[in-house]
Amino acid sequence: MGSVRMTAAALAAGATFFAYSAQANGTLNLICSADVVICEQLEGAFEKETGISVNMVRLSSGETYAKVRAEARNPKTDIWWAGTGDPHLQAASEGLTLEYKSPMLAELNDWAVKQAESAGYRTVGVYAGTLGWGYNTEIFKQKNLKEPTCWADLLDASFKGEIQIANPNSSGTAYTALATLVQIMGEDKAFDYLKKLNANVSQYTKSGSAPVKAAARGETAIGIVFMHDAVAQAVEGFPVKAVAPCEGTGYEIGSMSIIKGAKNLDNAKKWYDWVLSAKVQSSMKEAKSFQIPSNKSAEVPKEAPKLEDIKLIDYDFKTFGDPAKRKALLERWDREVGASAN
């Protein structure tokens, strides 16, 4: 997509009306931390509806947080959409994002509004997703593997080299997994668990959804991911089954933040309000996006994991979105797990 450039040929052809309107309505510099398919769908729909030219980059939430922090004195991004809430909360606590009370807040579920309130309205919830894993049923059948239904099952020796999970330094999904295990087990026991799990992990990916995509392609047996990413692979026809762990699991509140110092602030607010609407959130399923939407009136995809069937922990977003806590956990992960990664 990107900015529109006029050419003499286009002028001569008289095909300039939309281009001029796009230029007149300006641009928007967007970072999207969801799957690239939904990023591109929303980018195209917003451009079509508003005439605003979107410069979109797809980065994981960890990468985006690092970029926003590095560019704090001269922001190159206007708005950051999606990705796990923890890095959004961290950016908010460091004053990297802008307070904005959208007129759409009244239409949102309580959990999305609480996310905004906890951050002084420097972020807002846009969708929810639960942590679990997806496994390739054909590989399991071929290798006679037993379905893992609990976190403890993933340590079984039969899964050596069969598991992928992202690196929590770059991936919000993997950081949510790290924070979830700490909350379920306590920090020391969680790291003992992760060190044992490391023996079964073949790869720590950059992106949170990559492990289950690898499982879908038959490159690994299990991907630890948000369950909606596993569901998306199953809907595409791949032999993937989604699992919610028996001990309980954490969840994300995918969030959105306007960057402090945004060069195109008015257009950032337009995107913010637009993407919180029921109409736009109901359309996300067309891009095989199966999260729970934050707008109360948005259509929940029938394939989406049902929260009422999953044992959710009381995830402490405030504590685990705190910069000091996040830094300490990631440093310990690097020291005790990452340093000995396969």
Side-chain angles (χ1 to χ4, degrees), residues 200-266:
N200 290 346
V201 173
S202 64
Q203 184 180 353
Y204 292 95
T205 62
K206 194 175 187 180
S207 157
S209 61
V212 80
K213 291 177 180 176
R217 293 191 298 266
E219 295 167 8
T220 192
I222 305 167
I224 300 174
V225 292
F226 284 117
M227 289 176 67
H228 53 254
D229 289 324
V231 168
Q233 296 304 310
V235 170
E236 285 289 321
F238 292 104
V240 169
K241 182 177 177 184
V243 175
C246 72
E247 301 95 336
T249 193
Y251 60 99
E252 68 166 334
I253 294 178
S255 299
M256 170 171 58
S257 308
I258 295 175
I259 307 305
K260 189 175 181 181
K263 305 288 195 297
N264 302 291
L265 180 57
D266 287 345

Short mmCIF file of all heavy atoms in Angstrom, two decimals, residues 200-266:
data_model
loop_
_atom_site.label_atom_id
_atom_site.label_comp_id
_atom_site.label_asym_id
_atom_site.label_seq_id
_atom_site.Cartn_x
_atom_site.Cartn_y
_atom_site.Cartn_z
N ASN A 200 13.19 -30.46 25.32
CA ASN A 200 12.25 -30.92 24.29
C ASN A 200 12.02 -29.89 23.18
O ASN A 200 11.33 -30.17 22.21
CB ASN A 200 10.90 -31.26 24.93
CG ASN A 200 10.97 -32.53 25.77
OD1 ASN A 200 11.94 -33.27 25.69
ND2 ASN A 200 9.95 -32.77 26.59
N VAL A 201 12.57 -28.67 23.35
CA VAL A 201 12.35 -27.59 22.39
C VAL A 201 13.38 -27.67 21.27
O VAL A 201 14.59 -27.68 21.52
CB VAL A 201 12.42 -26.21 23.08
CG1 VAL A 201 12.36 -25.09 22.05
CG2 VAL A 201 11.26 -26.06 24.07
N SER A 202 12.89 -27.72 20.04
CA SER A 202 13.80 -27.76 18.88
C SER A 202 14.20 -26.36 18.42
O SER A 202 15.27 -26.17 17.86
CB SER A 202 13.15 -28.51 17.72
OG SER A 202 11.99 -27.81 17.27
N GLN A 203 13.31 -25.38 18.67
CA GLN A 203 13.59 -24.02 18.18
C GLN A 203 12.79 -22.98 18.97
O GLN A 203 11.61 -23.21 19.28
CB GLN A 203 13.23 -23.91 16.70
CG GLN A 203 13.58 -22.56 16.08
CD GLN A 203 13.21 -22.49 14.60
OE1 GLN A 203 12.81 -23.48 14.00
NE2 GLN A 203 13.33 -21.33 14.02
N TYR A 204 13.46 -21.87 19.30
CA TYR A 204 12.79 -20.69 19.86
C TYR A 204 12.64 -19.69 18.72
O TYR A 204 13.63 -19.13 18.24
CB TYR A 204 13.60 -20.09 21.01
CG TYR A 204 13.66 -20.99 22.23
CD1 TYR A 204 14.73 -21.85 22.43
CD2 TYR A 204 12.63 -20.97 23.16
CE1 TYR A 204 14.77 -22.69 23.54
CE2 TYR A 204 12.66 -21.81 24.28
CZ TYR A 204 13.74 -22.66 24.46
OH TYR A 204 13.77 -23.48 25.57
N THR A 205 11.42 -19.49 18.26
CA THR A 205 11.17 -18.66 17.09
C THR A 205 11.10 -17.18 17.47
O THR A 205 10.99 -16.83 18.65
CB THR A 205 9.86 -19.07 16.40
OG1 THR A 205 8.79 -18.86 17.32
CG2 THR A 205 9.90 -20.52 15.97
N LYS A 206 11.13 -16.33 16.48
CA LYS A 206 11.04 -14.88 16.71
C LYS A 206 9.58 -14.47 16.92
O LYS A 206 9.26 -13.65 17.78
CB LYS A 206 11.61 -14.17 15.48
CG LYS A 206 11.90 -12.70 15.66
CD LYS A 206 12.58 -12.19 14.39
CE LYS A 206 13.06 -10.78 14.54
NZ LYS A 206 13.71 -10.30 13.31
N SER A 207 8.70 -15.04 16.11
CA SER A 207 7.28 -14.69 16.13
C SER A 207 6.49 -15.68 16.97
O SER A 207 6.76 -16.89 16.96
CB SER A 207 6.74 -14.68 14.69
OG SER A 207 5.34 -14.86 14.67
N GLY A 208 5.48 -15.17 17.69
CA GLY A 208 4.68 -16.01 18.57
C GLY A 208 3.84 -17.05 17.87
O GLY A 208 3.60 -18.14 18.41
N SER A 209 3.36 -16.76 16.66
CA SER A 209 2.50 -17.72 15.96
C SER A 209 3.28 -18.72 15.10
O SER A 209 2.72 -19.71 14.63
CB SER A 209 1.50 -16.97 15.06
OG SER A 209 2.18 -16.20 14.08
N ALA A 210 4.58 -18.47 14.91
CA ALA A 210 5.40 -19.34 14.04
C ALA A 210 5.42 -20.81 14.48
O ALA A 210 5.39 -21.70 13.63
CB ALA A 210 6.82 -18.79 13.94
N PRO A 211 5.46 -21.11 15.80
CA PRO A 211 5.54 -22.53 16.18
C PRO A 211 4.38 -23.39 15.68
O PRO A 211 4.58 -24.52 15.24
CB PRO A 211 5.56 -22.46 17.72
CG PRO A 211 6.23 -21.15 18.02
CD PRO A 211 5.69 -20.23 16.97
N VAL A 212 3.15 -22.87 15.74
CA VAL A 212 2.03 -23.70 15.30
C VAL A 212 1.94 -23.75 13.78
O VAL A 212 1.42 -24.71 13.21
CB VAL A 212 0.69 -23.26 15.95
CG1 VAL A 212 0.09 -22.04 15.24
CG2 VAL A 212 -0.30 -24.42 15.96
N LYS A 213 2.47 -22.73 13.12
CA LYS A 213 2.54 -22.79 11.65
C LYS A 213 3.53 -23.88 11.24
O LYS A 213 3.30 -24.60 10.26
CB LYS A 213 2.95 -21.43 11.08
CG LYS A 213 1.86 -20.37 11.26
CD LYS A 213 2.31 -19.01 10.75
CE LYS A 213 1.21 -17.96 10.95
NZ LYS A 213 1.66 -16.61 10.54
N ALA A 214 4.61 -24.01 12.01
CA ALA A 214 5.57 -25.09 11.75
C ALA A 214 4.94 -26.45 12.01
O ALA A 214 5.15 -27.40 11.26
CB ALA A 214 6.82 -24.90 12.62
N ALA A 215 4.12 -26.54 13.06
CA ALA A 215 3.42 -27.80 13.35
C ALA A 215 2.45 -28.14 12.22
O ALA A 215 2.34 -29.29 11.80
CB ALA A 215 2.68 -27.69 14.68
N ALA A 216 1.76 -27.12 11.71
CA ALA A 216 0.81 -27.35 10.61
C ALA A 216 1.53 -27.90 9.38
O ALA A 216 0.99 -28.77 8.68
CB ALA A 216 0.10 -26.04 10.27
N ARG A 217 2.75 -27.41 9.14
CA ARG A 217 3.52 -27.86 7.96
C ARG A 217 4.23 -29.19 8.21
O ARG A 217 4.88 -29.72 7.31
CB ARG A 217 4.57 -26.80 7.60
CG ARG A 217 4.00 -25.49 7.10
CD ARG A 217 5.09 -24.60 6.51
NE ARG A 217 6.11 -24.24 7.49
CZ ARG A 217 6.11 -23.13 8.22
NH1 ARG A 217 5.11 -22.26 8.09
NH2 ARG A 217 7.08 -22.89 9.07
N GLY A 218 4.13 -29.72 9.42
CA GLY A 218 4.78 -30.99 9.72
C GLY A 218 6.24 -30.85 10.09
O GLY A 218 6.98 -31.85 10.12
N GLU A 219 6.69 -29.62 10.42
CA GLU A 219 8.09 -29.39 10.76
C GLU A 219 8.37 -29.62 12.24
O GLU A 219 9.52 -29.75 12.67
CB GLU A 219 8.49 -27.95 10.39
CG GLU A 219 8.44 -27.71 8.89
CD GLU A 219 8.53 -26.24 8.53
OE1 GLU A 219 8.78 -25.41 9.43
OE2 GLU A 219 8.35 -25.91 7.34
N THR A 220 7.33 -29.63 13.05
CA THR A 220 7.44 -29.93 14.47
C THR A 220 6.11 -30.53 14.91
O THR A 220 5.10 -30.39 14.19
CB THR A 220 7.78 -28.66 15.28
OG1 THR A 220 8.16 -29.02 16.61
CG2 THR A 220 6.60 -27.68 15.35
N ALA A 221 6.09 -31.19 16.05
CA ALA A 221 4.84 -31.83 16.48
C ALA A 221 3.93 -30.86 17.23
O ALA A 221 2.72 -30.91 17.08
CB ALA A 221 5.16 -33.04 17.36
N ILE A 222 4.55 -29.98 18.06
CA ILE A 222 3.77 -29.12 18.96
C ILE A 222 4.26 -27.68 18.88
O ILE A 222 5.48 -27.44 18.87
CB ILE A 222 3.90 -29.58 20.43
CG1 ILE A 222 3.51 -31.05 20.59
CG2 ILE A 222 3.06 -28.69 21.37
CD1 ILE A 222 3.91 -31.64 21.94
N GLY A 223 3.33 -26.74 18.84
CA GLY A 223 3.66 -25.32 18.93
C GLY A 223 2.93 -24.71 20.11
O GLY A 223 1.70 -24.83 20.21
N ILE A 224 3.68 -24.10 21.05
CA ILE A 224 3.05 -23.42 22.19
C ILE A 224 2.73 -22.00 21.74
O ILE A 224 3.62 -21.21 21.41
CB ILE A 224 4.00 -23.41 23.41
CG1 ILE A 224 4.33 -24.84 23.83
CG2 ILE A 224 3.36 -22.63 24.57
CD1 ILE A 224 5.36 -24.94 24.95
N VAL A 225 1.43 -21.69 21.71
CA VAL A 225 0.95 -20.44 21.08
C VAL A 225 -0.35 -19.99 21.74
O VAL A 225 -0.87 -20.67 22.63
CB VAL A 225 0.66 -20.66 19.57
CG1 VAL A 225 1.93 -20.92 18.77
CG2 VAL A 225 -0.33 -21.82 19.37
N PHE A 226 -0.89 -18.88 21.29
CA PHE A 226 -2.26 -18.56 21.65
C PHE A 226 -3.16 -19.49 20.86
O PHE A 226 -2.94 -19.75 19.67
CB PHE A 226 -2.57 -17.09 21.36
CG PHE A 226 -1.96 -16.16 22.37
CD1 PHE A 226 -1.01 -15.24 22.00
CD2 PHE A 226 -2.35 -16.22 23.70
CE1 PHE A 226 -0.43 -14.41 22.95
CE2 PHE A 226 -1.79 -15.40 24.66
CZ PHE A 226 -0.82 -14.48 24.29
N MET A 227 -4.20 -19.98 21.54
CA MET A 227 -5.03 -21.02 20.94
C MET A 227 -5.69 -20.59 19.63
O MET A 227 -5.90 -21.41 18.74
CB MET A 227 -6.08 -21.48 21.94
CG MET A 227 -5.50 -22.29 23.09
SD MET A 227 -6.75 -22.72 24.32
CE MET A 227 -7.79 -23.84 23.37
N HIS A 228 -6.01 -19.29 19.50
CA HIS A 228 -6.66 -18.86 18.26
C HIS A 228 -5.74 -19.05 17.05
O HIS A 228 -6.22 -19.22 15.93
CB HIS A 228 -7.15 -17.41 18.36
CG HIS A 228 -6.12 -16.42 18.76
ND1 HIS A 228 -6.09 -15.85 20.02
CD2 HIS A 228 -5.09 -15.87 18.08
CE1 HIS A 228 -5.08 -15.00 20.10
NE2 HIS A 228 -4.46 -15.00 18.92
N ASP A 229 -4.41 -19.02 17.29
CA ASP A 229 -3.49 -19.26 16.17
C ASP A 229 -3.51 -20.74 15.76
O ASP A 229 -3.34 -21.06 14.58
CB ASP A 229 -2.07 -18.83 16.56
CG ASP A 229 -1.93 -17.32 16.64
OD1 ASP A 229 -2.56 -16.63 15.82
OD2 ASP A 229 -1.20 -16.82 17.51
N ALA A 230 -3.72 -21.62 16.74
CA ALA A 230 -3.85 -23.04 16.41
C ALA A 230 -5.18 -23.30 15.68
O ALA A 230 -5.24 -24.05 14.70
CB ALA A 230 -3.78 -23.88 17.69
N VAL A 231 -6.23 -22.65 16.15
CA VAL A 231 -7.55 -22.78 15.50
C VAL A 231 -7.47 -22.32 14.04
O VAL A 231 -8.03 -22.96 13.14
CB VAL A 231 -8.62 -21.97 16.27
CG1 VAL A 231 -9.91 -21.86 15.46
CG2 VAL A 231 -8.90 -22.61 17.62
N ALA A 232 -6.75 -21.22 13.82
CA ALA A 232 -6.63 -20.69 12.45
C ALA A 232 -6.00 -21.71 11.51
O ALA A 232 -6.42 -21.84 10.35
CB ALA A 232 -5.80 -19.40 12.46
N GLN A 233 -5.02 -22.47 11.99
CA GLN A 233 -4.39 -23.50 11.16
C GLN A 233 -5.36 -24.65 10.88
O GLN A 233 -5.42 -25.17 9.77
CB GLN A 233 -3.11 -24.02 11.83
CG GLN A 233 -2.02 -22.98 12.00
CD GLN A 233 -1.63 -22.34 10.69
OE1 GLN A 233 -1.34 -23.02 9.69
NE2 GLN A 233 -1.60 -21.01 10.66
N ALA A 234 -6.15 -25.01 11.90
CA ALA A 234 -7.13 -26.08 11.72
C ALA A 234 -8.19 -25.67 10.70
O ALA A 234 -8.60 -26.46 9.84
CB ALA A 234 -7.78 -26.42 13.06
N VAL A 235 -8.64 -24.42 10.77
CA VAL A 235 -9.65 -23.92 9.84
C VAL A 235 -9.11 -23.90 8.40
O VAL A 235 -9.86 -24.12 7.44
CB VAL A 235 -10.14 -22.51 10.27
CG1 VAL A 235 -10.99 -21.85 9.19
CG2 VAL A 235 -10.92 -22.59 11.58
N GLU A 236 -7.80 -23.69 8.27
CA GLU A 236 -7.16 -23.72 6.94
C GLU A 236 -7.07 -25.14 6.39
O GLU A 236 -6.68 -25.34 5.24
CB GLU A 236 -5.75 -23.12 7.03
CG GLU A 236 -5.72 -21.60 7.16
CD GLU A 236 -6.12 -20.92 5.87
OE1 GLU A 236 -5.74 -21.39 4.78
OE2 GLU A 236 -6.84 -19.91 5.95
N GLY A 237 -7.41 -26.13 7.21
CA GLY A 237 -7.40 -27.51 6.74
C GLY A 237 -6.20 -28.33 7.19
O GLY A 237 -6.06 -29.50 6.80
N PHE A 238 -5.34 -27.74 8.02
CA PHE A 238 -4.18 -28.48 8.50
C PHE A 238 -4.58 -29.39 9.67
O PHE A 238 -5.54 -29.09 10.40
CB PHE A 238 -3.07 -27.51 8.94
CG PHE A 238 -2.45 -26.75 7.81
CD1 PHE A 238 -2.78 -25.42 7.59
CD2 PHE A 238 -1.54 -27.36 6.95
CE1 PHE A 238 -2.21 -24.71 6.55
CE2 PHE A 238 -0.97 -26.66 5.90
CZ PHE A 238 -1.30 -25.33 5.69
N PRO A 239 -3.85 -30.49 9.87
CA PRO A 239 -4.22 -31.45 10.93
C PRO A 239 -3.73 -30.96 12.30
O PRO A 239 -2.85 -31.58 12.92
CB PRO A 239 -3.50 -32.73 10.49
CG PRO A 239 -2.27 -32.23 9.77
CD PRO A 239 -2.71 -30.97 9.05
N VAL A 240 -4.29 -29.88 12.77
CA VAL A 240 -3.86 -29.27 14.03
C VAL A 240 -5.01 -29.29 15.03
O VAL A 240 -6.14 -28.92 14.70
CB VAL A 240 -3.38 -27.81 13.81
CG1 VAL A 240 -3.18 -27.09 15.14
CG2 VAL A 240 -2.09 -27.80 13.00
N LYS A 241 -4.71 -29.70 16.26
CA LYS A 241 -5.70 -29.67 17.34
C LYS A 241 -5.23 -28.70 18.42
O LYS A 241 -4.06 -28.74 18.83
CB LYS A 241 -5.90 -31.06 17.93
CG LYS A 241 -6.98 -31.08 19.04
CD LYS A 241 -7.24 -32.47 19.57
CE LYS A 241 -8.26 -32.41 20.70
NZ LYS A 241 -8.48 -33.74 21.32
N ALA A 242 -6.13 -27.83 18.87
CA ALA A 242 -5.81 -26.85 19.91
C ALA A 242 -6.09 -27.43 21.29
O ALA A 242 -7.09 -28.14 21.47
CB ALA A 242 -6.61 -25.58 19.71
N VAL A 243 -5.21 -27.10 22.25
CA VAL A 243 -5.34 -27.62 23.61
C VAL A 243 -5.19 -26.48 24.62
O VAL A 243 -4.31 -25.63 24.49
CB VAL A 243 -4.24 -28.68 23.90
CG1 VAL A 243 -4.30 -29.14 25.35
CG2 VAL A 243 -4.39 -29.87 22.96
N ALA A 244 -6.06 -26.50 25.66
CA ALA A 244 -5.93 -25.59 26.79
C ALA A 244 -5.41 -26.41 27.97
O ALA A 244 -6.00 -27.43 28.32
CB ALA A 244 -7.27 -24.97 27.15
N PRO A 245 -4.29 -26.02 28.59
CA PRO A 245 -3.68 -26.84 29.64
C PRO A 245 -4.55 -26.98 30.89
O PRO A 245 -5.20 -26.04 31.33
CB PRO A 245 -2.37 -26.11 29.96
CG PRO A 245 -2.52 -24.75 29.38
CD PRO A 245 -3.48 -24.85 28.25
N CYS A 246 -4.51 -28.21 31.47
CA CYS A 246 -5.40 -28.56 32.58
C CYS A 246 -5.12 -27.78 33.86
O CYS A 246 -6.03 -27.51 34.64
CB CYS A 246 -5.32 -30.06 32.85
SG CYS A 246 -3.76 -30.58 33.64
N GLU A 247 -3.86 -27.39 34.09
CA GLU A 247 -3.53 -26.69 35.34
C GLU A 247 -4.07 -25.26 35.36
O GLU A 247 -4.11 -24.62 36.41
CB GLU A 247 -2.01 -26.62 35.55
CG GLU A 247 -1.30 -27.94 35.60
CD GLU A 247 -0.73 -28.36 34.26
OE1 GLU A 247 -1.26 -27.89 33.22
OE2 GLU A 247 0.22 -29.16 34.24
N GLY A 248 -4.46 -24.78 34.19
CA GLY A 248 -4.87 -23.39 34.04
C GLY A 248 -3.94 -22.70 33.08
O GLY A 248 -2.83 -23.18 32.79
N THR A 249 -4.37 -21.57 32.57
CA THR A 249 -3.52 -20.87 31.59
C THR A 249 -3.78 -19.37 31.63
O THR A 249 -4.82 -18.91 32.11
CB THR A 249 -3.77 -21.42 30.17
OG1 THR A 249 -2.74 -20.96 29.30
CG2 THR A 249 -5.14 -21.02 29.61
N GLY A 250 -2.81 -18.65 31.13
CA GLY A 250 -2.93 -17.20 31.04
C GLY A 250 -3.59 -16.79 29.74
O GLY A 250 -3.93 -17.64 28.90
N TYR A 251 -3.78 -15.53 29.60
CA TYR A 251 -4.40 -15.02 28.39
C TYR A 251 -3.83 -13.64 28.09
O TYR A 251 -3.19 -13.01 28.94
CB TYR A 251 -5.93 -14.97 28.53
CG TYR A 251 -6.44 -14.09 29.66
CD1 TYR A 251 -6.89 -12.80 29.41
CD2 TYR A 251 -6.46 -14.55 30.96
CE1 TYR A 251 -7.36 -12.00 30.44
CE2 TYR A 251 -6.93 -13.76 32.00
CZ TYR A 251 -7.38 -12.49 31.73
OH TYR A 251 -7.83 -11.69 32.75
N GLU A 252 -4.04 -13.23 26.88
CA GLU A 252 -3.60 -11.90 26.48
C GLU A 252 -4.81 -11.00 26.30
O GLU A 252 -5.90 -11.46 25.97
CB GLU A 252 -2.83 -11.96 25.15
CG GLU A 252 -3.70 -12.34 23.96
CD GLU A 252 -3.07 -12.10 22.60
OE1 GLU A 252 -2.19 -11.22 22.48
OE2 GLU A 252 -3.46 -12.79 21.65
N ILE A 253 -4.59 -9.73 26.52
CA ILE A 253 -5.52 -8.72 26.03
C ILE A 253 -4.73 -7.97 24.97
O ILE A 253 -3.87 -7.14 25.28
CB ILE A 253 -6.00 -7.78 27.15
CG1 ILE A 253 -6.84 -8.57 28.15
CG2 ILE A 253 -6.83 -6.65 26.55
CD1 ILE A 253 -7.33 -7.76 29.33
N GLY A 254 -4.94 -8.37 23.72
CA GLY A 254 -4.29 -7.67 22.62
C GLY A 254 -4.67 -6.20 22.70
O GLY A 254 -5.84 -5.88 22.94
N SER A 255 -3.71 -5.33 22.53
CA SER A 255 -3.95 -3.92 22.83
C SER A 255 -3.56 -3.00 21.67
O SER A 255 -3.04 -3.44 20.66
CB SER A 255 -3.18 -3.53 24.10
OG SER A 255 -3.63 -4.32 25.19
N MET A 256 -3.85 -1.72 21.87
CA MET A 256 -3.56 -0.69 20.86
C MET A 256 -3.13 0.58 21.56
O MET A 256 -3.72 0.96 22.58
CB MET A 256 -4.81 -0.44 20.01
CG MET A 256 -4.70 0.77 19.08
SD MET A 256 -6.09 0.88 17.91
CE MET A 256 -7.51 0.95 19.00
N SER A 257 -2.12 1.23 21.01
CA SER A 257 -1.58 2.44 21.64
C SER A 257 -1.21 3.47 20.57
O SER A 257 -0.64 3.12 19.53
CB SER A 257 -0.33 2.11 22.45
OG SER A 257 -0.56 1.06 23.37
N ILE A 258 -1.51 4.74 20.87
CA ILE A 258 -1.02 5.84 20.04
C ILE A 258 0.35 6.26 20.59
O ILE A 258 0.52 6.43 21.80
CB ILE A 258 -1.99 7.04 20.08
CG1 ILE A 258 -3.34 6.65 19.44
CG2 ILE A 258 -1.40 8.25 19.35
CD1 ILE A 258 -4.40 7.74 19.53
N ILE A 259 1.30 6.41 19.71
CA ILE A 259 2.66 6.74 20.12
C ILE A 259 2.77 8.23 20.46
O ILE A 259 2.30 9.08 19.71
CB ILE A 259 3.68 6.37 19.01
CG1 ILE A 259 3.50 4.90 18.60
CG2 ILE A 259 5.10 6.65 19.48
CD1 ILE A 259 3.57 3.89 19.72
N LYS A 260 3.38 8.51 21.61
CA LYS A 260 3.58 9.90 22.01
C LYS A 260 4.48 10.60 21.00
O LYS A 260 5.53 10.08 20.63
CB LYS A 260 4.22 9.96 23.40
CG LYS A 260 4.28 11.35 23.99
CD LYS A 260 4.83 11.30 25.41
CE LYS A 260 4.86 12.68 26.02
NZ LYS A 260 5.42 12.62 27.40
N GLY A 261 4.03 11.76 20.52
CA GLY A 261 4.79 12.48 19.49
C GLY A 261 4.42 12.05 18.08
O GLY A 261 5.12 12.39 17.13
N ALA A 262 3.29 11.32 17.94
CA ALA A 262 2.85 10.86 16.62
C ALA A 262 2.73 12.05 15.67
O ALA A 262 2.13 13.07 16.00
CB ALA A 262 1.49 10.16 16.73
N LYS A 263 3.32 11.90 14.48
CA LYS A 263 3.31 12.99 13.49
C LYS A 263 1.93 13.15 12.84
O LYS A 263 1.58 14.23 12.37
CB LYS A 263 4.35 12.71 12.38
CG LYS A 263 5.78 12.47 12.88
CD LYS A 263 6.44 13.74 13.37
CE LYS A 263 7.95 13.61 13.52
NZ LYS A 263 8.39 12.63 14.52
N ASN A 264 1.16 12.06 12.80
CA ASN A 264 -0.17 12.08 12.17
C ASN A 264 -1.23 11.73 13.21
O ASN A 264 -1.95 10.74 13.08
CB ASN A 264 -0.20 11.08 10.99
CG ASN A 264 0.86 11.38 9.95
OD1 ASN A 264 0.79 12.39 9.25
ND2 ASN A 264 1.86 10.52 9.85
N LEU A 265 -1.30 12.57 14.24
CA LEU A 265 -2.13 12.26 15.40
C LEU A 265 -3.62 12.13 15.05
O LEU A 265 -4.29 11.20 15.51
CB LEU A 265 -1.93 13.32 16.48
CG LEU A 265 -2.73 13.13 17.77
CD1 LEU A 265 -2.43 11.78 18.41
CD2 LEU A 265 -2.42 14.26 18.75
N ASP A 266 -4.14 13.05 14.25
CA ASP A 266 -5.57 12.99 13.90
C ASP A 266 -5.90 11.68 13.18
O ASP A 266 -6.93 11.06 13.46
CB ASP A 266 -5.97 14.18 13.03
CG ASP A 266 -6.03 15.48 13.83
OD1 ASP A 266 -6.05 15.40 15.07
OD2 ASP A 266 -6.07 16.56 13.20
#
